Amino acid sequence: MEQRLIKELTKIVGRDDILYDLKDLIAYSYDATPRQEMPDVIIFPHSTAEVSAIMKLAHQERIPVIARGAGTNLSGGTIPVRGGIILEMSRMNRILEIDTANQRAVVEPGVINLDLQNALAPLGFFYPPDPASQKSSTLGGNVGENAGGPLCLRYGVTSKYVCGMEVVLADGEVVEIGDYVADPPGYDLRGLFIGSEGMLGVATKLILHIIPKPEATRTMLAIFDTLEDGGRAVSEIISRGIVPGALELLDKKMCWVIEQSVSAGYPTDAEGVLLIEVAGLADTLDRQVEEISEICQKNKVRELRIAQTNAERDALWKGRRGAFGAVARICPPYSVCDGTVPRDKLAQALHRVGEIAEKYHVLIANVAHAGDGNLHPLILFDANNPEERAAAKKAGSEVLDTCIAFGGTITGEHGIGLEKMDAMRLMFDPADIAAMRRIKEVFDPDDILNPGKMFPPDESQPQPTQEEVA
Amino acid sequence: MKKTVSQEREAFHQQLGAVVGPENVLTEAQATASYQVDGFTPDGVVFATSTEQVSQVIRLANEFRIPIIPWGSGSKQEVGPCLSQSGTILCLKRMNQLIELDAGNFTAHVAAGMVNAELQKQLGEHRFFFPLDPVCMETSTLGGEIATNATGPLRLKYGAVRDLVLGVTVVTPTGDIIHTGGKTMKNVAGFDLCKMYIGSWGTLGIITEAVIRLFPLPEVSKSLLITASQENAFRLVGQLLESALELSAIELLDWTAGRYLGDHGAHLAEGKVLLLVNIDGDSAAVARREEAIKALAKTNQASEVVTLQGEEAAEVWNAYRRVHQALLDAVPSTAQGKASVPIGKAADMFRAIKEAGQRHHAEIGIRVYCGSGLLYPYVALEDDKLIFVIASLKQAASALGGFFIVEAAPLWARKKEGSLPQRSDATLMKRLKTAFDPNNILNPGRMFGGLY
């Protein structure tokens, strides 16, 4: 990047909030996916005015801008494929307002998800979206990816809990989309913006819907000898009208991997375990636990453990929350798939995933938000072995084909980013993609906001063989 | 030789007939008269029976540059900003099938012209329901409800349209068929176009099919009717909303609107309001909720609490939904608006509405969706007085951090006061409309009437 531009940018944010040394550029060249590309400069804005000034300059000079929170995303969404500016939002991290009577929290985008939860907890409130990354991921990043999490089965994903936003557009203009109050007139631009992966604008303020915490929770671990039995139990629980706070499935390989690093007490010889948590009024949960236990018995549960204390509950969750970390410990270059199927197809889809693992000789461990039909097969491979790398890639792509074949989608909560650009074509007709491109052109006609993401390279061409990412 | 306007229209209608069959194109004045909107009589009404037909109709409309006004049951036609041009009505009510009920996935795929009440009936046979219950649900179509972002009491527990609709099939203003969303609970592939279409009032495309979330019918559902003074009622509402009780609906009717609720509201004295609270779930949870609500009602000096269940409860909600039309019909000049304020400020807005009524010697009936901070005043005034009241309500809502808009009202009032609040994102919305509808074919004037 030209010195003149570095100077201009330094003028906007000051010397302490800009980085352009090689070591810093390298640190911002990757996210939680294996690909690496170098940015030209990293800037840490402190205010909407600074973001707006940066965007004006970027617009004038046609420089790519990639807004970034904690960089935990799992689809390559924050990798600067065309270089440019990394707009690191972590220093805009103030909680501006919490109003329980209005059920709103107003925050800057760099606030970490868990920090907001910690501020809300003493008031008896919470913000439902709880991605596994919540200890480090920012709310702005959660909005960019429309993050989910285990609690989303009961409460819904990010899109349901963002009422309005202040957004800096590609040309630096500052607009408010959505509102603090319900149902503002006009198009639901906020709906479009959530999950847009930094391609439509930079959010600088978020108005969030917060809700009262449930009175109590009860947590169980149900151990099954077959995935089908576990899958059927999931369907029956939901059919009864019970909406658990969480309903997570882990397969045998996943349990084994978890037990290697976290001693959560999960069995290593059962085909599947369900982590079930019910939430609601304290004295009504016994009945739900009883019903769930009956359903599990009916579906040949081997063992049902019900946490009796907070310590026991934490132990049950420890395994699930530590799943990705546990995999990373034994095999750092894993790749996470993120397909979603209609929820009653989950067991079938997991079976198919097992067949795919055999076909390509790769190890696949499964964790799933079972109640939502959201699978996260983790494909483990040796990054130094080109054959295995290629096999892992093929296996991942076949997992997505499987999800689509079952009437599902290629991503439930991780986004398209770089990783699934080609797979977009499996999901959408050319007319669908054209409509999305039209949206992009309305918001960002010069294609400077996170360019080179989401859209397949050229819709008119047949799908090319996927290039290697690792 | 250049064709005259009427020759053009005739050619257009003929080609429409080739698409949908001549029997599905009405052009006789007698037939089109009942489709009058905003003072315009349409030059034709065309009935489509498939997404493909809708697409062909829209392509023809672009060729002939004739505006298309999408129509479900017509219940929201005269709401909000007025049409700026007449055109041809495209009616979807013959697209009324439940295409697929996926009981294992808790979803249904429904054609847009299906009437909500009929959908609920068919779902009920499978022990499911769709928790969208707007006041006009007996006649309104699913497509219309999605397009207008209809709202109903159950939103408190089950969410708004945008939380209940997983995907829509749309014919764009240029005739392309696009599929948005899907049938999974979670889906973040590409931009969320489904959300953009919800509440877009037929200006960005015509919704022809939708995939919706279903819920199993609850084991028990009860309704509590609580009579209390205005102050006590709002305090109670605040406590209920901040509790962990997870109520499914909290509606409030003032003493004027309450009178239309039949026996339950007939006794309401001035200053008293009626709360309708719905609770559902398993019997244990419902019992516990009922007990807690009654205890809170008592501490807030409620004068009466009646619990209804089964048929009786269903009937009171039916009656509640009829209040809207009854208030509109009571005095022909009645205008109905919507105030949206922060949830905790609903009591302040309520007071502001009542004060405006007193200043202008008008009786204003009010319905409140307490869980969303939405208040619906019904003002029976004519001429300047109505305009004054509207102006003071706009000011009051804005001072509380919200907005007020006119919805159902006589044509003159909507023309004068139908403009929408100024928004900083209006230019972006206009650009979106132009990008999708370069020929301004779909619902010209609607929604954007006030945006630029």
Side-chain angles (χ1 to χ4, degrees), chain B residues 2 92 136 246-247 271 302 341 446:
Chain B
K2 202 173 177 326
L92 270 70
C136 46
E246 298 185 327
L247 311 179
V341 296
R446 276 277 152 78

Side-chain angles (χ1 to χ4, degrees), chain A residues 102 176 182 187 215 283 287, chain B residues 203 219 283 288 340 344 424 448:
Chain A
N102 291 336
E176 314 264 344
Y187 300 136
E215 233 173 51
D283 43 0
R287 170 156 165 204
Chain B
T203 61
E219 183 189 324
S283 54
R288 163 73 203 282
S340 180
S424 60
F448 277 90

Side-chain angles (χ1 to χ4, degrees), chain B residues 334-378:
Chain B
T334 302
Q336 172 254 313
K338 174 170 91 177
S340 180
V341 296
I343 297 165
K345 301 273 195 267
D348 300 301
M349 190 64 211
F350 186 94
R351 269 193 298 276
I353 296 169
K354 284 292 174 193
E355 279 162 22
Q358 272 159 14
R359 269 201 306 280
H360 297 278
H361 310 289
E363 214 181 358
I364 303 183
I366 311 175
R367 289 190 303 123
V368 187
Y369 283 138
C370 298
S372 312
L374 297 171
L375 296 93
Y376 298 83
Y378 296 76

Side-chain angles (χ1 to χ4, degrees), chain A residues 100-104 125 145-146 148-149 152-155 157 159-160 169 173-192 194-197 199-200 212-215 235 238-241 280-284 287-288 291 338 340-345 369 371-372 374 407-416 424 427-429 431-432 435-436 438-440 442-443 454-455, chain B residues 102-106 149 151 155 157-160 162-163 172 174 176-193 195-201 203-204 213-216 219 240-246 282-286 288-289 338 340-345 371-374 376 400-403 405 420-421 423-425 427-433 435-436 446-448 451:
Chain A
T100 55
N102 291 336
Q103 305 193 338
R104 296 290 183 267
F125 271 67
E145 301 289 341
N146 193 9
C152 291
L153 166 62
R154 183 178 176 88
Y155 298 102
V157 296
S159 192
K160 185 174 177 184
L169 299 177
E173 191 191 343
V174 182
V175 298
E176 314 264 344
I177 63 178
D179 209 329
Y180 190 94
V181 298
D183 301 349
Y187 300 136
D188 186 5
L189 299 185
R190 140 200 72 146
L192 264 183
I194 297 164
S196 65
E197 307 191 20
M199 293 170 63
L200 300 182
K213 269 201 300 200
E215 233 173 51
S235 289
I238 309 239
S239 313
R240 289 279 183 98
L281 301 169
D283 43 0
T284 66
R287 170 156 165 204
Q288 287 193 30
E291 265 188 83
D338 172 42
T340 301
V341 294
R343 61 181 136 214
D344 55 332
K345 302 289 192 303
H369 303 305
D372 287 323
N374 189 184
T409 175
I410 53 176
T411 171
E413 55 186 11
H414 295 171
I416 300 294
M424 281 286 279
M427 273 290 289
F428 296 108
D429 294 337
D432 305 336
M436 290 183 197
R438 211 170 293 143
I439 303 281
K440 173 71 171 166
V442 165
F443 279 81
M454 188 184 290
F455 297 114
Chain B
D102 188 338
N105 190 42
F106 294 74
N149 191 21
T151 198
R155 172 175 179 174
K157 176 169 178 179
Y158 295 94
R162 66 200 295 286
D163 308 311
T172 70
T174 46
D176 290 335
I177 297 169
I178 62 171
H179 299 91
T180 74
K183 64 186 286 190
T184 55
M185 298 305 126
K186 292 155 92 178
N187 187 357
V188 296
F191 296 137
D192 196 350
L193 291 175
K195 296 277 190 306
M196 179 183 82
Y197 277 105
I198 294 167
S200 65
W201 286 82
T203 61
L204 292 179
R213 290 184 66 182
L214 305 180
F215 291 79
E219 183 189 324
L240 290 174
L241 288 174
E242 285 203 58
S243 75
L245 289 170
E246 298 185 327
D282 68 46
S283 54
V286 170
R288 163 73 203 282
R289 286 181 181 126
K338 174 170 91 177
S340 180
V341 296
I343 297 165
K345 301 273 195 267
S372 312
L374 297 171
Y376 298 83
L400 292 170
F403 63 86
I405 54 175
L420 300 176
R423 293 186 57 91
S424 60
D425 57 357
T427 316
L428 213 46
M429 293 185 191
K430 169 125 172 56
R431 285 217 299 267
L432 210 53
K433 167 72 174 170
F436 276 80
R446 276 277 152 78
M447 181 171 236
F448 277 90
L451 278 173

Side-chain angles (χ1 to χ4, degrees), chain B residues 128-319:
Chain B
F128 282 116
F129 77 113
F130 176 54
L132 180 63
D133 54 346
V135 290
C136 46
M137 66 184 282
E138 289 299 320
T139 56
S140 54
T141 62
L142 184 69
E145 290 170 355
I146 297 171
T148 59
N149 191 21
T151 198
L154 288 175
R155 172 175 179 174
L156 178 61
K157 176 169 178 179
Y158 295 94
V161 175
R162 66 200 295 286
D163 308 311
L164 298 172
V165 174
L166 298 174
V168 287
T169 301
V170 173
V171 175
T172 70
T174 46
D176 290 335
I177 297 169
I178 62 171
H179 299 91
T180 74
K183 64 186 286 190
T184 55
M185 298 305 126
K186 292 155 92 178
N187 187 357
V188 296
F191 296 137
D192 196 350
L193 291 175
C194 180
K195 296 277 190 306
M196 179 183 82
Y197 277 105
I198 294 167
S200 65
W201 286 82
T203 61
L204 292 179
I206 298 181
I207 297 165
T208 57
E209 291 168 26
V211 179
I212 57 173
R213 290 184 66 182
L214 305 180
F215 291 79
L217 282 169
E219 183 189 324
V220 184
S221 176
K222 281 189 182 180
S223 298
L224 281 79
L225 268 75
I226 303 168
T227 310
S229 73
Q230 173 188 330
E231 285 77 25
N232 289 334
F234 276 109
R235 194 181 323 109
L236 172 58
V237 166
Q239 289 167 5
L240 290 174
L241 288 174
E242 285 203 58
S243 75
L245 289 170
E246 298 185 327
L247 311 179
S248 12
I250 310 177
E251 302 296 294
L252 183 149
L253 290 174
D254 79 326
W255 51 96
T256 303
R259 252 177 257 145
Y260 295 91
L261 196 69
D263 295 345
H264 296 296
H267 63 285
L268 274 185
E270 184 161 337
K272 292 268 188 176
V273 301
L274 199 59
L275 286 175
L276 276 83
V277 179
N278 190 255
I279 46 181
D280 64 18
D282 68 46
S283 54
V286 170
R288 163 73 203 282
R289 286 181 181 126
E290 183 179 350
E291 196 186 315
I293 295 167
K294 283 182 169 164
L296 279 175
K298 200 173 168 194
T299 36
N300 286 294
Q301 284 113 38
S303 48
E304 195 186 348
V305 180
V306 180
T307 307
L308 300 174
Q309 210 178 336
E311 280 297 306
E312 278 187 321
E315 190 37 52
V316 83
W317 286 103
N318 281 334

